[in-house]
Amino acid sequence: MKKRRAVRVAAFGVVQGVGFRPFVYRLARRLGLTGWVRNSGAGVEIHAEAAEAAALDALLRALREELPPLARIERLDRRPAAARGYKNFTVRKSGGGERFVFISPDIATCENCRHDIENPRDRRFRYPFTNCTDCGPRYTIVEALPYDRPNTTMAGFPMCPDCAREYHDPGDRRYHAQPVACPRCGPRIEIREAKSGRGAPGGISEAVALLKKGKILAIKGLGGFHLACDPYNPGAVARLRRIKARATKPLALMARDVAVVRRHARISAEEEALLLSDRRPIVLLRKKKDIPGIAPHLDEIGFMLPYTPLHHLLLSDLALIVATSSNRKDAPIMKDEAEGIGGLCDYILTHDRPIAMRADDSVVKIAGGAPLFVRRARGYVPYPQIVPEALRSPRSVLALGGELKDTVSLYKNGYIITSQFLGDLDEYQNHLYFEETIRHLTGLFDADPACVVSDLHPGFHTTRFAERSGLPHLRVQHHHAHVLAAMIEHGLDLGSRVLGVSWDGYGYGEDGAAWGGEFLLAGYADFTRFAHFDPVPLPGGDLAAKQPWRMALAYLRAAGAAPGSRPGGLASVKGRAFTAGVDPRAKPWAPASVDRAKIRGVMEMMDRRVRSPLSSSCGRLFDAVAALTGLAPLENEFEAEAAMRLEAAAVEGPRTAYPFDLGGDAPPFRISFGRMVRGILADRARGASAGLIGGKFLNTLARVIVATAEEARRRHGIGTVVLCGGVFLNRKLIERATACLREAEFEVLRPVIYSPNDESLSVGQIAYALARLKAGGRLTS
């Protein structure tokens, strides 16, 4: 008898909970192999035996080329093994060892499962928890590794004989699908009255009827509850806004299908692909037909398609619903009734499958043909980011992010795993969510961090948490971390240098000042401040970020156009609002409610340097221009509201821009917008529209970027520019800046798989720590 050959293969990547073991089993049967496959704490192990080496080679090829839809292999390790004489090929129980394996994100309902719930002859007809190895909950139900049913929130649902048969049948698509269930043995839904908590009659059909009657429902999904209502019912929408204390912030919509979305939005091919993807994010689309009260003052509206069987069943009788996160203002999404969901709705459509890890819907738009994440969460987390070889370390690192729009990231074995969006940590419930997520990630991936990394700001909750952790503590400047996140995402080498254009509302500078309009010559380990916006006062401190008219006063003052100038000057006070004095036909700039006394008080505050710290913030420049054009609200309800209104109004055709000044003989250069402000006043006096002014303003910023990049290239040979920071969520700006830079022959990088806002800080902090570890530096700063 010919001697049999054997091989042992370790597959590392997204290989658990995605049908990988059934796939290997079928491959082995097809190739005539014997042996076994099993989950391990680090992925999947395979022992395969064959009479011919060619059959084992074919196995390795198929593992790379024929993967199941959700599987992703990062590494395959192969080594010879002794043949044991196995007679067949089996799926073994999971093994132990170190726990570091990637978990699939939660995946939208596949077409096969959707067919099951729509087929009256199927035993899962209209069953809202139908799933298989190609779809369903993953990250939000897993409590420990390896990914087996006892380690998920499905542990409390013993399988009935029919489900057990499917689960153990290698030829069934539910073979080893851990959340497999049916009406006989699985989770169940129920409706409850919100105030009393009492059960109410009916199921999905009754929920649909309640929505049609104008009621607000809390609907339990994968990572938490949605608050739902009829978007065509103005009374229901207004009441939902009152309950959430959300007067103007946009509400997300869930549509039955793409045809419904097309009634209200314009959809490109890339946007349609995102809507229909198995990740099912909220996609921000250009409005075509507005729905009053959903996204006021904006030109974009957020749509998603159903991603669970429950959603599909609800939307089969409804074309469209509001589906916004169930949280009180600034608090995390609620994941069970005990967190107070009853205070936000009329009825609760809930179920008895626990949620292990809460996660909001992801929000994304398309810019320049590529995704631009506003929020990265459900459907994308916890997919890993590979680290360039030169930066890898055998030690683990925990990074805590910033303070607003926070995430945490964990580095281990050459990969970064970043959490879902956690929110603003100055809210107590979000801080608990932050700590819950750290415990979940470090426990799930069996990590023992060698150090912890935080922002440079001494007062951030994350910084204080790091100081209390007892671990060696590194601090990274805010805007440097933004740049590094994009560098490591794009796999730049350890010795790379870029010009980082890092623009946002606020970041604690190395000098203790408020930075935000920054140009950094950056590498992984250090940076030089090459240029920045000329600082202006923030009159009233944090209040200046809430009331855009204050920033307009600051920029008018810096431009020599402050209110109070004598008639014939650039501006003068008139009645309860002030007007540009360049032209007597100029319209009032400020709302009538900003009276003379308040304007004078703010001006005196800046003149006396009282509660008026200086800032180079780009976000506050947007506020000022939005106020000067009459687009800004008197007070922002949510971050970047004024800037988003300005973006919505800005016209996209003309390439004209305002003048600016790049001053100084040596770095850091200072960029002054005094001439731009005076140009805006002149345009207003001539009757130019807010949209035209907004478009010229964005063109000006694009030219500022190119002029500064050309100076960096002339002085330092820099050819790569990184665009990062929350300001670059502005689609029109990032597309214009990218086009202008490419015309000037620069390579342009920006975050694609992460958001450019503060969600990416923890990724950049990991990059900095790895550079320090590689250099052998002390793990404190």
Side-chain angles (χ1 to χ4, degrees):
M1 178 181 285
K2 192 171 182 179
K3 183 178 179 182
R4 292 180 67 79
R5 302 169 183 268
V7 66
R8 186 67 62 89
V9 179
F12 180 68
V14 182
V15 291
Q16 292 191 12
V18 292
F20 188 77
R21 287 177 298 168
F23 159 71
V24 172
Y25 175 88
R26 290 190 292 271
L27 270 182
R29 295 287 297 271
R30 188 180 88 196
L31 297 171
L33 307 177
T34 61
W36 48 262
V37 60
R38 70 180 180 186
N39 279 345
S40 71
V44 167
E45 293 178 297
I46 305 166
H47 178 94
E49 299 181 2
E52 302 291 339
L56 299 178
D57 292 337
L59 170 67
L60 269 293
R61 280 197 305 274
L63 289 176
R64 295 188 182 280
E65 298 172 2
E66 302 177 28
L67 287 176
L70 304 183
R72 173 175 149 187
I73 288 184
E74 295 288 339
R75 189 177 72 247
L76 279 177
D77 294 333
R78 172 184 178 174
R79 60 183 174 86
R84 301 295 179 89
Y86 294 111
K87 301 300 182 186
N88 50 30
F89 197 91
T90 61
V91 177
R92 287 188 170 183
K93 290 184 177 181
S94 297
E98 180 190 21
R99 298 196 310 276
F100 187 62
V101 62
F102 300 138
I103 302 299
S104 167
D106 302 290
I107 299 299
T109 307
C110 69
E111 286 303 311
N112 285 327
C113 286
R114 187 172 176 185
H115 177 75
D116 291 345
I117 65 173
E118 294 173 353
N119 180 6
R121 295 187 179 89
D122 195 283
R123 69 191 188 91
R124 292 186 175 87
F125 176 58
R126 295 187 65 79
Y127 182 58
F129 303 96
T130 300
N131 65 84
C132 70
T133 53
D134 291 336
C135 69
R138 298 292 190 274
Y139 177 64
T140 54
I141 64 168
V142 67
E143 295 180 312
L145 293 177
Y147 178 71
D148 290 322
R149 192 179 183 99
N151 293 332
T152 73
T153 59
M154 287 297 295
F157 298 93
M159 286 180 279
C160 68
D162 286 334
C163 286
R165 175 184 50 76
E166 293 170 330
Y167 183 87
H168 292 101
D169 179 2
D172 196 286
R173 79 173 198 276
R174 294 189 170 93
Y175 182 49
H176 283 259
Q178 305 307 330
V180 66
C182 73
R184 183 177 173 186
C185 65
R188 299 181 181 183
I189 61 167
E190 69 168 320
I191 297 179
R192 296 179 187 170
E193 294 179 356
K195 290 183 179 179
S196 68
R198 292 194 301 267
I204 291 172
S205 297
E206 179 61 23
V208 169
L210 290 168
L211 288 167
K212 288 180 177 179
K213 291 176 183 177
K215 301 299 183 183
I216 296 171
L217 266 66
I219 301 171
K220 189 175 181 179
L222 291 179
F225 284 89
H226 282 129
L227 293 179
C229 73
D230 179 358
Y232 302 117
N233 185 325
V237 173
R239 196 157 64 88
L240 176 59
R241 285 194 173 280
R242 285 196 299 273
I243 289 171
K244 287 201 69 173
R246 191 173 184 168
T248 57
K249 191 173 182 180
L251 299 171
L253 299 169
M254 183 180 285
R256 178 192 299 147
D257 50 36
V258 172
V260 174
V261 179
R262 288 191 191 280
R263 297 177 197 168
H264 299 283
R266 306 180 192 281
I267 312 175
S268 69
E270 295 91 346
E271 289 163 342
E272 183 172 359
L274 263 180
L275 281 168
L276 292 169
S277 72
D278 55 18
R279 305 297 182 248
R280 295 290 166 101
I282 297 169
V283 183
L284 299 182
L285 304 169
R286 293 169 180 83
K287 286 181 181 177
K288 181 166 69 176
K289 180 182 178 183
D290 196 20
I291 305 175
I294 299 301
H297 310 295
L298 304 179
D299 64 341
E300 293 177 330
I301 188 167
F303 282 94
M304 60 183 151
L305 297 181
Y307 56 85
T308 71
L310 177 58
H311 295 147
H312 283 288
L313 294 169
L314 278 168
L315 272 295
S316 65
D317 293 317
L318 293 164
L320 190 66
I321 59 172
V322 171
T324 187
S325 299
S326 61
N327 59 317
R328 299 188 185 278
K329 188 174 174 62
D330 298 327
I333 187 172
M334 296 182 184
K335 69 184 182 76
D336 59 58
E337 293 88 333
E339 294 178 340
I341 190 68
L344 300 178
C345 60
D346 300 312
Y347 290 88
I348 305 169
L349 180 60
T350 189
H351 58 74
D352 55 352
R353 183 181 69 203
I355 296 171
M357 178 49 61
R358 69 189 84 217
D360 269 295
D361 295 312
S362 294
V363 183
V364 66
K365 63 175 84 173
I366 293 292
L372 182 63
F373 276 89
V374 178
R375 182 170 71 203
R376 180 179 179 270
R378 192 263 312 150
Y380 295 90
V381 172
Y383 262 148
Q385 167 68 48
I386 192 169
V387 169
E389 183 73 36
L391 275 169
R392 294 179 192 173
S393 169
R395 306 167 81 179
S396 296
V397 177
L398 174 65
L400 305 180
E403 185 82 347
L404 306 179
K405 296 180 174 61
D406 196 45
T407 64
V408 297
S409 287
L410 179 69
Y411 168 82
K412 184 177 177 180
N413 293 358
Y415 292 87
I416 301 171
I417 303 99
T418 300
S419 76
Q420 66 277 25
F421 164 86
L422 302 176
D424 299 349
L425 299 190
D426 53 2
E427 205 282 332
Y428 176 68
Q429 292 298 324
N430 281 335
H431 191 76
L432 296 180
Y433 184 19
F434 161 79
E435 294 182 347
E436 170 189 17
T437 302
I438 291 173
R439 290 192 299 269
H440 187 71
L441 282 181
T442 54
L444 196 61
F445 295 104
D446 197 22
D448 183 17
C451 65
V452 62
V453 199
S454 75
D455 192 86
L456 194 63
H457 197 299
F460 277 2
H461 290 88
T462 45
T463 305
R464 296 201 293 268
F465 182 92
E467 290 169 345
R468 295 192 304 268
S469 71
L471 293 170
H473 178 199
L474 294 172
R475 296 170 173 85
V476 188
Q477 200 281 323
H478 187 96
H479 300 96
H480 188 205
H482 271 307
V483 179
L484 296 185
M487 288 177 66
I488 202 165
E489 175 187 333
H490 290 279
L492 268 61
D493 293 336
L494 182 57
S496 299
R497 304 291 290 182
V498 303
L499 178 68
V501 184
S502 191
W503 289 359
D504 58 11
Y506 171 78
Y508 188 81
E510 287 193 320
D511 57 1
W515 291 9
E518 308 305 314
F519 294 83
L520 308 181
L521 290 177
Y524 282 110
D526 56 25
F527 74 91
T528 300
R529 197 181 190 194
F530 183 71
H532 59 83
F533 290 3
D534 209 7
V536 298
L538 299 176
D542 289 346
L543 201 57
K546 296 178 181 179
Q547 297 177 345
W549 60 268
R550 291 174 178 262
M551 291 312 304
L553 291 176
Y555 269 95
L556 287 170
R557 178 178 177 272
S565 301
R566 66 180 182 274
L570 284 171
S572 61
V573 174
K574 182 178 180 181
R576 294 175 63 82
F578 64 85
T579 64
V582 175
D583 191 311
R585 296 167 298 174
K587 297 178 180 178
W589 163 76
S593 55
V594 182
D595 62 25
R596 248 168 109 174
K598 183 169 285 190
I599 290 171
R600 283 178 175 166
V602 169
M603 296 304 299
E604 288 177 9
M605 185 183 296
M606 290 188 283
D607 290 340
R608 295 168 58 192
R609 300 182 183 180
V610 175
R611 292 182 59 219
S612 299
L614 294 177
S615 172
S616 59
S617 169
C618 184
R620 302 294 74 78
L621 175 61
F622 268 84
D623 286 347
V625 175
L628 289 171
T629 56
L631 293 167
L634 185 64
E635 184 161 321
N636 284 330
E637 180 203 333
F638 56 93
E639 186 184 20
E641 181 178 10
M644 290 168 66
R645 293 190 186 190
L646 181 63
E647 178 188 3
V651 296
E652 298 194 59
R655 293 176 63 96
T656 54
Y658 294 109
F660 62 91
D661 294 292
L662 181 61
D665 297 323
F669 299 103
R670 293 163 74 103
I671 299 157
S672 170
F673 293 100
R675 289 197 292 155
M676 182 191 76
V677 170
R678 293 193 291 273
I680 290 172
L681 294 176
D683 273 352
R684 281 210 46 158
R686 286 191 289 267
S689 69
L692 179 63
I693 294 171
K696 288 177 68 175
F697 168 62
L698 296 182
N699 291 340
T700 305
L701 292 182
R703 294 189 184 186
V704 166
I705 292 170
V706 173
T708 310
E710 286 177 334
E711 186 67 21
R713 179 164 58 191
R714 186 178 70 81
R715 289 173 175 266
H716 301 284
I718 297 293
T720 301
V721 177
V722 170
L723 303 178
C724 56
V727 165
F728 288 105
L729 287 172
N730 185 310
R731 177 183 58 80
K732 294 174 182 176
L733 173 61
I734 201 166
E735 288 180 343
R736 292 181 199 194
T738 299
C740 291
L741 284 166
R742 286 176 178 163
E743 285 177 11
E745 299 184 341
F746 285 97
E747 180 186 21
V748 185
L749 303 178
R750 67 150 171 102
V752 176
I753 63 174
Y754 300 102
S755 175
N757 69 21
D758 283 6
E759 290 183 35
S760 65
L761 289 177
S762 64
V763 179
Q765 291 168 355
I766 292 283
Y768 177 79
L770 292 176
R772 289 285 297 268
L773 285 168
K774 207 68 179 177
R778 292 192 312 123
L779 292 181
T780 55
S781 61

